[in-house]
Amino acid sequence: MSTDFSLKNAVRQQRLARGWTQEELARRSGISRAEVSAIETDRVSPSAAVALILAGTFECRVEDLFQLASAAHAAPTWAWPPSRQPSRYWRAEVNRRTLTYPVESNGLGVQPADGTFSQGQMTLTTECDPSRTLVLACCDPAVGLLAHEMMKSHCVRLLVISRSSRAALNLLRQGLVHLAGVHLAGTDDAGNARAVRNELGPGYRLIRATRWRAGLAIAPGRKVRSVRGAIGSNLRWVGREVGSGARQCLDDLLGKKATFRRLASDHRGVAEAIRCGWAEVGVTLQLTSEEAGLDFLSVRQEPYDLCYRADCENDPRLIALLQVIRSVAYRGELAALPGYDSASTGEVQDAQ
């Protein structure tokens, strides 16, 4: 009986996640550099012995390195269904499942899709490996820097899903993303860990991404000199959805009974509403306020963390992420942004 299977290979991903050259992997495993190269480029399929040696060298399972992938097109497993057809989609492997994500706006501009879905049919248009894609749900307007460094240094694609803090944690709870961006702590360095513990329970860790400056973006020419003055004014406010860190800041300033005629879905949405004249003041980050040419009044500096499941910490994509976040190059880029502080970037804490 004919079988139409190919071998799915993650050797290069595992090697790059550890910062090894092909020569280093050859030395550690006892396999020649030429054979390492041939395996990584799918020119040869390894023997069972070689597969076991490589798995032992990486301290992972053989199936983490090699999997049979059917050439037939299986029905997709949607992270959530597309709102319309035809729909462009991305794919990523999360918790040993290959999930399909409808392409959506995420602040990174128009990005290549993995394929299109129309009338129930999947059409794959690129060969991007789902096992080399890391999925992050977050609201960080500077996440493009992280995506760029991940691809440049480790050949890992960072797929960004734009969500507020609690919405991102909900996706992490459901096993639909690898990481969730969280800023629900106010000014308390340990507050995000408590928020995660309350939302998800134990078994999660947080990587400090940055401390950023949050405050009031104000339309130019409004002659508001202080946060107190803005609160006592008749300026038109733009709100944020419940569950976002910005809404938490708004509630602290205005009280939880405050109502808003317009709600923005993210930090840049707040700045855009003010820039276009739909509102005159709102809570956002110093970065997005300055990008839009608005006046800015600082309210507080907030810790912003990336949360992930502790039992996934050996995933080479997460290892690569941590290496990038701790790198001198990335931390330097981050520190150059208005309102971003990278002094504690890369620190890890348990949500216990």
Side-chain angles (χ1 to χ4, degrees), residues 8 61 81 96-97 100 108 134 136 154-155 159 176 180 182 207 257 281-282 307 309-310 314 351:
K8 184 179 176 181
R61 302 172 308 161
R96 301 179 186 176
R97 296 186 300 162
T100 303
L108 301 184
L134 188 68
L136 166 61
H154 292 278
C155 294
L159 180 58
L176 300 178
V182 187
I207 306 167
K257 293 183 179 180
V281 60
C307 177
R309 283 175 40 180
N314 292 325

Side-chain angles (χ1 to χ4, degrees), residues 8-324:
K8 184 179 176 181
N9 180 348
V11 173
R12 183 170 183 268
Q13 177 195 12
Q14 295 271 3
R15 175 175 63 79
L16 290 175
R18 289 161 175 77
W20 297 350
T21 63
Q22 289 185 341
E23 289 78 6
E24 176 70 6
L25 176 55
R27 184 186 66 79
R28 288 172 177 265
S29 65
I31 299 170
S32 71
R33 192 208 64 80
E35 187 170 6
V36 169
S37 175
I39 292 170
E40 288 190 353
T41 55
D42 295 321
R43 286 184 283 115
V44 300
S45 294
S47 66
V50 168
L52 288 168
I53 289 171
L54 288 171
T57 303
F58 288 125
E59 297 183 344
C60 68
R61 302 172 308 161
V62 171
E63 53 264 44
D64 293 329
L65 292 178
F66 305 101
Q67 293 182 354
L68 287 175
S70 174
H73 295 290
T77 301
W78 291 99
W80 46 85
S83 59
R84 63 179 63 87
Q85 293 191 41
S87 172
R88 299 163 67 234
Y89 66 82
W90 295 304
R91 296 186 306 151
E93 187 178 288
V94 183
N95 298 328
R96 301 179 186 176
R97 296 186 300 162
T98 297
L99 301 178
T100 303
Y101 299 80
V103 169
E104 58 182 63
S105 174
N106 58 13
L108 301 184
V110 178
Q111 295 179 282
D114 295 347
T116 58
F117 178 69
S118 181
Q119 298 180 344
Q121 298 296 317
M122 309 291 291
T123 302
L124 192 65
T125 57
T126 69
E127 293 300 326
C128 193
D129 188 346
S131 69
R132 298 183 184 183
T133 297
L134 188 68
V135 187
L136 166 61
C138 75
C139 65
D140 182 7
V143 71
L145 291 178
L146 184 57
H148 174 76
E149 289 295 329
M150 289 284 291
M151 180 56 70
K152 182 177 74 171
S153 61
H154 292 278
C155 294
V156 173
R157 178 178 63 167
L158 185 64
L159 180 58
V160 178
I161 307 297
S162 183
R163 296 291 188 276
S164 65
S165 294
R166 282 198 165 84
L169 288 175
N170 187 46
L171 292 181
L172 182 61
R173 177 194 294 112
Q174 296 177 67
L176 300 178
V177 299
H178 297 102
L179 300 119
V182 187
H183 66 111
L184 296 170
T187 60
D188 183 357
D189 271 341
N192 284 332
R194 284 197 301 273
V196 168
R197 185 170 62 252
N198 292 337
E199 293 281 334
L200 305 182
Y204 292 86
R205 294 200 173 109
L206 295 98
I207 306 167
R208 174 57 46 84
T210 187
R211 289 179 63 87
W212 59 29
R213 184 67 61 181
L216 301 183
I218 302 174
R222 296 310 185 269
K223 298 181 180 180
V224 177
R225 300 288 181 262
S226 68
V227 173
R228 184 182 296 272
I231 295 172
S233 71
N234 293 321
L235 296 178
R236 289 172 290 124
W237 289 74
V238 56
R240 286 293 308 276
E241 75 278 19
V242 174
S244 66
R247 180 56 178 261
Q248 186 182 76
C249 185
L250 272 170
D251 289 344
D252 290 345
L253 292 173
L254 304 177
K256 293 186 177 182
K257 293 183 179 180
T259 59
F260 306 95
R261 294 183 60 187
R262 294 183 181 274
L263 294 179
S265 60
D266 55 28
H267 296 294
R268 284 199 172 96
V270 171
E272 183 68 8
I274 299 168
R275 189 184 70 82
C276 293
W278 299 331
E280 296 170 290
V281 60
V283 169
T284 187
L285 304 183
Q286 182 179 349
L287 172 63
T288 48
S289 180
E290 292 193 11
E291 282 180 341
L294 306 175
D295 294 337
F296 182 77
L297 294 173
S298 176
V299 173
R300 62 196 189 191
Q301 192 178 45
E302 301 175 338
Y304 172 64
D305 298 314
L306 305 181
C307 177
Y308 64 95
R309 283 175 40 180
D311 60 4
C312 294
E313 65 180 358
N314 292 325
D315 188 315
R317 294 165 293 186
L318 283 174
I319 294 172
L321 176 84
L322 193 56
Q323 289 177 353
V324 167

